[in-house]
Amino acid sequence: GFAPVLVEDVLSFLEVTGVPVVADPLSNNLPDPTDLMFLEVSHSGAAEFLVTGNLRHFPKSSRGDIVVLSPRNFVDHIGST
């Protein structure tokens, strides 16, 4: 539901400012094991947030310190700071 220009701006920003991360493996159990790589990168990169449309795939018990937000909640959060 985001305007395509906003999506392009965010992706361009991430390409320019992003930091490559080599993820350390985790043994967390997630409802969808293919999502584990995103949690591994978040932890290894010391991310404050993991942004996903699949919040239910990242139960609170498996996140550690990572705050998992929907895209809408993330945009609202960065817009309020």
Side-chain angles (χ1 to χ4, degrees):
F2 295 109
V5 68
L6 177 61
V7 173
E8 290 175 24
D9 288 347
V10 169
L11 292 176
S12 294
F13 172 78
L14 293 175
E15 285 179 342
V16 171
T17 63
V19 177
V21 173
V22 175
D24 294 323
L26 296 172
S27 59
N28 301 47
N29 291 320
L30 298 177
D32 182 352
T34 63
D35 287 331
L36 185 57
M37 68 179 116
F38 302 109
L39 193 60
E40 291 170 338
V41 168
S42 298
H43 277 277
S44 295
E48 187 175 349
F49 304 107
L50 189 159
V51 180
T52 178
N54 293 316
L55 295 174
R56 69 183 189 280
H57 288 190
F58 297 92
K60 288 184 181 187
S61 61
S62 69
R63 299 176 186 176
D65 300 357
I66 303 298
V67 175
V68 179
L69 296 175
S70 70
R72 168 55 55 203
N73 287 346
F74 180 70
V75 168
D76 290 345
H77 176 78
I78 62 174
S80 68
T81 58

